[in-house]
Amino acid sequence: ALYFAITMMTTVGFGDVTPSTVFEREVAIFLLIIGSVFYAFVFGMVFEIVKKLLVSQIILEAKLENAQSFIDHYQIQGPLRTKILKYTRTLAQAGGDIDVAG
């Protein structure tokens, strides 16, 4: 049963096992379709997760770049510089946004 399930889901094909009746062919075709849909769903979910991670990283880098530009523009030095960058990184990773309105 495990051999059958894995071979169906990966759509590799059997080669050594062939359906001999019409009913067996119909079941094999149905299971191949189900396996293909399941595979497409799993890969789609994996790619969606990877895409979200990449977008999150791009947003984090943009926010850090903006904070660095702010620091450079106002020539902020020392511990305040470190605190601003740390705050920006922590807030961006938490999914928050910087409140500039006060």
Side-chain angles (χ1 to χ4, degrees):
L2 181 62
Y3 171 73
F4 181 79
I6 291 174
T7 306
M8 274 295 185
M9 283 181 43
T10 58
T11 65
V12 171
F14 295 103
D16 58 342
V17 179
T18 56
S20 53
T21 67
V22 173
F23 178 71
E24 288 175 350
R25 286 188 187 117
E26 290 172 352
V27 168
I29 290 170
F30 176 75
L31 291 175
L32 279 170
I33 291 170
I34 295 297
S36 298
V37 169
F38 178 74
Y39 241 52
F41 175 76
V42 169
F43 278 111
M45 294 303 289
V46 168
F47 288 133
E48 188 67 27
I49 291 169
V50 169
K51 183 178 88 172
K52 285 182 181 179
L53 290 173
L54 292 175
V55 167
S56 297
Q57 184 65 29
I58 290 170
I59 291 171
L60 172 62
E61 289 172 4
K63 288 183 178 183
L64 287 172
E65 199 172 297
N66 287 340
Q68 188 65 48
S69 295
F70 174 83
I71 290 168
D72 292 342
H73 178 74
Y74 290 102
Q75 300 175 350
I76 298 172
Q77 301 292 323
L80 182 57
R81 176 187 189 96
T82 306
K83 284 183 181 180
I84 291 172
L85 290 173
K86 185 177 180 183
Y87 175 78
T88 305
R89 181 182 302 277
T90 303
L91 194 63
Q93 288 175 340
D97 218 356
I98 298 172
D99 181 20
V100 293

PDB file of all heavy atoms in Angstrom, residues 6 8-11 33-45:
ATOM      1  N   ILE A   6       2.916   6.158  -2.609  1.00  0.00           N
ATOM      2  CA  ILE A   6       4.043   7.027  -2.980  1.00  0.00           C
ATOM      3  C   ILE A   6       4.157   7.149  -4.495  1.00  0.00           C
ATOM      4  O   ILE A   6       4.378   8.222  -5.038  1.00  0.00           O
ATOM      5  CB  ILE A   6       5.358   6.514  -2.351  1.00  0.00           C
ATOM      6  CG1 ILE A   6       5.310   6.710  -0.838  1.00  0.00           C
ATOM      7  CG2 ILE A   6       6.563   7.236  -2.939  1.00  0.00           C
ATOM      8  CD1 ILE A   6       6.475   6.109  -0.101  1.00  0.00           C
ATOM      9  N   MET A   8       1.782   6.810  -6.675  1.00  0.00           N
ATOM     10  CA  MET A   8       0.655   7.599  -7.173  1.00  0.00           C
ATOM     11  C   MET A   8       0.869   9.082  -6.913  1.00  0.00           C
ATOM     12  O   MET A   8       0.656   9.912  -7.786  1.00  0.00           O
ATOM     13  CB  MET A   8      -0.643   7.170  -6.482  1.00  0.00           C
ATOM     14  CG  MET A   8      -1.311   6.030  -7.133  1.00  0.00           C
ATOM     15  SD  MET A   8      -1.838   6.531  -8.775  1.00  0.00           S
ATOM     16  CE  MET A   8      -2.704   5.093  -9.247  1.00  0.00           C
ATOM     17  N   MET A   9       1.280   9.427  -5.698  1.00  0.00           N
ATOM     18  CA  MET A   9       1.410  10.840  -5.345  1.00  0.00           C
ATOM     19  C   MET A   9       2.543  11.523  -6.091  1.00  0.00           C
ATOM     20  O   MET A   9       2.461  12.706  -6.420  1.00  0.00           O
ATOM     21  CB  MET A   9       1.605  11.003  -3.840  1.00  0.00           C
ATOM     22  CG  MET A   9       0.312  10.844  -3.088  1.00  0.00           C
ATOM     23  SD  MET A   9       0.446  11.052  -1.327  1.00  0.00           S
ATOM     24  CE  MET A   9       1.495  12.437  -1.140  1.00  0.00           C
ATOM     25  N   THR A  10       3.615  10.823  -6.361  1.00  0.00           N
ATOM     26  CA  THR A  10       4.733  11.431  -7.070  1.00  0.00           C
ATOM     27  C   THR A  10       4.551  11.378  -8.577  1.00  0.00           C
ATOM     28  O   THR A  10       5.356  11.942  -9.306  1.00  0.00           O
ATOM     29  CB  THR A  10       6.057  10.744  -6.700  1.00  0.00           C
ATOM     30  OG1 THR A  10       5.971   9.360  -7.020  1.00  0.00           O
ATOM     31  CG2 THR A  10       6.362  10.928  -5.228  1.00  0.00           C
ATOM     32  N   THR A  11       3.521  10.744  -9.027  1.00  0.00           N
ATOM     33  CA  THR A  11       3.183  10.576 -10.449  1.00  0.00           C
ATOM     34  C   THR A  11       4.351  10.043 -11.263  1.00  0.00           C
ATOM     35  O   THR A  11       4.514  10.376 -12.431  1.00  0.00           O
ATOM     36  CB  THR A  11       2.662  11.899 -11.067  1.00  0.00           C
ATOM     37  OG1 THR A  11       3.705  12.868 -11.061  1.00  0.00           O
ATOM     38  CG2 THR A  11       1.450  12.421 -10.355  1.00  0.00           C
ATOM     39  N   ILE A  33      -4.833  11.963 -10.425  1.00  0.00           N
ATOM     40  CA  ILE A  33      -5.327  13.341 -10.412  1.00  0.00           C
ATOM     41  C   ILE A  33      -5.306  13.894  -8.988  1.00  0.00           C
ATOM     42  O   ILE A  33      -4.835  15.012  -8.753  1.00  0.00           O
ATOM     43  CB  ILE A  33      -6.744  13.421 -11.017  1.00  0.00           C
ATOM     44  CG1 ILE A  33      -6.676  13.130 -12.523  1.00  0.00           C
ATOM     45  CG2 ILE A  33      -7.386  14.781 -10.748  1.00  0.00           C
ATOM     46  CD1 ILE A  33      -8.014  12.955 -13.187  1.00  0.00           C
ATOM     47  N   ILE A  34      -5.789  13.120  -8.026  1.00  0.00           N
ATOM     48  CA  ILE A  34      -5.781  13.545  -6.622  1.00  0.00           C
ATOM     49  C   ILE A  34      -4.342  13.792  -6.157  1.00  0.00           C
ATOM     50  O   ILE A  34      -4.053  14.789  -5.495  1.00  0.00           O
ATOM     51  CB  ILE A  34      -6.475  12.499  -5.723  1.00  0.00           C
ATOM     52  CG1 ILE A  34      -7.953  12.399  -6.067  1.00  0.00           C
ATOM     53  CG2 ILE A  34      -6.286  12.829  -4.251  1.00  0.00           C
ATOM     54  CD1 ILE A  34      -8.739  13.664  -5.833  1.00  0.00           C
ATOM     55  N   GLY A  35      -3.439  12.892  -6.490  1.00  0.00           N
ATOM     56  CA  GLY A  35      -2.037  13.054  -6.109  1.00  0.00           C
ATOM     57  C   GLY A  35      -1.426  14.309  -6.712  1.00  0.00           C
ATOM     58  O   GLY A  35      -0.687  15.040  -6.045  1.00  0.00           O
ATOM     59  N   SER A  36      -1.741  14.585  -7.964  1.00  0.00           N
ATOM     60  CA  SER A  36      -1.211  15.783  -8.628  1.00  0.00           C
ATOM     61  C   SER A  36      -1.755  17.053  -7.985  1.00  0.00           C
ATOM     62  O   SER A  36      -1.003  18.013  -7.765  1.00  0.00           O
ATOM     63  CB  SER A  36      -1.588  15.771 -10.107  1.00  0.00           C
ATOM     64  OG  SER A  36      -1.019  14.659 -10.745  1.00  0.00           O
ATOM     65  N   VAL A  37      -3.040  17.071  -7.676  1.00  0.00           N
ATOM     66  CA  VAL A  37      -3.638  18.236  -7.026  1.00  0.00           C
ATOM     67  C   VAL A  37      -3.022  18.436  -5.643  1.00  0.00           C
ATOM     68  O   VAL A  37      -2.692  19.558  -5.252  1.00  0.00           O
ATOM     69  CB  VAL A  37      -5.172  18.085  -6.935  1.00  0.00           C
ATOM     70  CG1 VAL A  37      -5.787  19.146  -6.031  1.00  0.00           C
ATOM     71  CG2 VAL A  37      -5.784  18.150  -8.323  1.00  0.00           C
ATOM     72  N   PHE A  38      -2.841  17.363  -4.903  1.00  0.00           N
ATOM     73  CA  PHE A  38      -2.235  17.445  -3.575  1.00  0.00           C
ATOM     74  C   PHE A  38      -0.813  17.978  -3.669  1.00  0.00           C
ATOM     75  O   PHE A  38      -0.415  18.855  -2.895  1.00  0.00           O
ATOM     76  CB  PHE A  38      -2.244  16.066  -2.910  1.00  0.00           C
ATOM     77  CG  PHE A  38      -1.592  16.043  -1.561  1.00  0.00           C
ATOM     78  CD1 PHE A  38      -2.227  16.594  -0.463  1.00  0.00           C
ATOM     79  CD2 PHE A  38      -0.343  15.479  -1.398  1.00  0.00           C
ATOM     80  CE1 PHE A  38      -1.623  16.584   0.779  1.00  0.00           C
ATOM     81  CE2 PHE A  38       0.277  15.462  -0.158  1.00  0.00           C
ATOM     82  CZ  PHE A  38      -0.377  16.010   0.932  1.00  0.00           C
ATOM     83  N   TYR A  39      -0.042  17.472  -4.608  1.00  0.00           N
ATOM     84  CA  TYR A  39       1.329  17.938  -4.814  1.00  0.00           C
ATOM     85  C   TYR A  39       1.351  19.429  -5.160  1.00  0.00           C
ATOM     86  O   TYR A  39       2.152  20.194  -4.635  1.00  0.00           O
ATOM     87  CB  TYR A  39       1.984  17.135  -5.935  1.00  0.00           C
ATOM     88  CG  TYR A  39       3.197  16.369  -5.504  1.00  0.00           C
ATOM     89  CD1 TYR A  39       3.157  15.522  -4.413  1.00  0.00           C
ATOM     90  CD2 TYR A  39       4.397  16.490  -6.186  1.00  0.00           C
ATOM     91  CE1 TYR A  39       4.267  14.810  -4.026  1.00  0.00           C
ATOM     92  CE2 TYR A  39       5.510  15.784  -5.798  1.00  0.00           C
ATOM     93  CZ  TYR A  39       5.440  14.944  -4.722  1.00  0.00           C
ATOM     94  OH  TYR A  39       6.548  14.253  -4.337  1.00  0.00           O
ATOM     95  N   ALA A  40       0.475  19.837  -6.067  1.00  0.00           N
ATOM     96  CA  ALA A  40       0.415  21.251  -6.457  1.00  0.00           C
ATOM     97  C   ALA A  40       0.059  22.116  -5.253  1.00  0.00           C
ATOM     98  O   ALA A  40       0.635  23.195  -5.065  1.00  0.00           O
ATOM     99  CB  ALA A  40      -0.608  21.442  -7.566  1.00  0.00           C
ATOM    100  N   PHE A  41      -0.858  21.659  -4.424  1.00  0.00           N
ATOM    101  CA  PHE A  41      -1.254  22.415  -3.231  1.00  0.00           C
ATOM    102  C   PHE A  41      -0.086  22.558  -2.272  1.00  0.00           C
ATOM    103  O   PHE A  41       0.192  23.655  -1.775  1.00  0.00           O
ATOM    104  CB  PHE A  41      -2.429  21.715  -2.544  1.00  0.00           C
ATOM    105  CG  PHE A  41      -2.831  22.355  -1.253  1.00  0.00           C
ATOM    106  CD1 PHE A  41      -3.547  23.538  -1.247  1.00  0.00           C
ATOM    107  CD2 PHE A  41      -2.477  21.774  -0.049  1.00  0.00           C
ATOM    108  CE1 PHE A  41      -3.903  24.135  -0.052  1.00  0.00           C
ATOM    109  CE2 PHE A  41      -2.834  22.358   1.147  1.00  0.00           C
ATOM    110  CZ  PHE A  41      -3.553  23.546   1.150  1.00  0.00           C
ATOM    111  N   VAL A  42       0.620  21.467  -2.008  1.00  0.00           N
ATOM    112  CA  VAL A  42       1.746  21.498  -1.068  1.00  0.00           C
ATOM    113  C   VAL A  42       2.848  22.425  -1.588  1.00  0.00           C
ATOM    114  O   VAL A  42       3.351  23.273  -0.846  1.00  0.00           O
ATOM    115  CB  VAL A  42       2.293  20.079  -0.815  1.00  0.00           C
ATOM    116  CG1 VAL A  42       3.615  20.126  -0.067  1.00  0.00           C
ATOM    117  CG2 VAL A  42       1.282  19.265  -0.038  1.00  0.00           C
ATOM    118  N   PHE A  43       3.218  22.281  -2.849  1.00  0.00           N
ATOM    119  CA  PHE A  43       4.259  23.140  -3.399  1.00  0.00           C
ATOM    120  C   PHE A  43       3.820  24.600  -3.441  1.00  0.00           C
ATOM    121  O   PHE A  43       4.617  25.510  -3.201  1.00  0.00           O
ATOM    122  CB  PHE A  43       4.691  22.679  -4.794  1.00  0.00           C
ATOM    123  CG  PHE A  43       5.685  21.554  -4.758  1.00  0.00           C
ATOM    124  CD1 PHE A  43       5.327  20.288  -5.181  1.00  0.00           C
ATOM    125  CD2 PHE A  43       6.964  21.761  -4.294  1.00  0.00           C
ATOM    126  CE1 PHE A  43       6.244  19.242  -5.139  1.00  0.00           C
ATOM    127  CE2 PHE A  43       7.885  20.736  -4.246  1.00  0.00           C
ATOM    128  CZ  PHE A  43       7.525  19.475  -4.668  1.00  0.00           C
ATOM    129  N   GLY A  44       2.558  24.850  -3.732  1.00  0.00           N
ATOM    130  CA  GLY A  44       2.042  26.209  -3.715  1.00  0.00           C
ATOM    131  C   GLY A  44       2.157  26.840  -2.334  1.00  0.00           C
ATOM    132  O   GLY A  44       2.543  27.999  -2.195  1.00  0.00           O
ATOM    133  N   MET A  45       1.841  26.076  -1.303  1.00  0.00           N
ATOM    134  CA  MET A  45       1.941  26.579   0.070  1.00  0.00           C
ATOM    135  C   MET A  45       3.401  26.848   0.447  1.00  0.00           C
ATOM    136  O   MET A  45       3.705  27.856   1.091  1.00  0.00           O
ATOM    137  CB  MET A  45       1.312  25.593   1.055  1.00  0.00           C
ATOM    138  CG  MET A  45      -0.183  25.435   0.882  1.00  0.00           C
ATOM    139  SD  MET A  45      -1.092  26.972   1.015  1.00  0.00           S
ATOM    140  CE  MET A  45      -0.940  27.317   2.736  1.00  0.00           C
TER     141      MET A  45
END
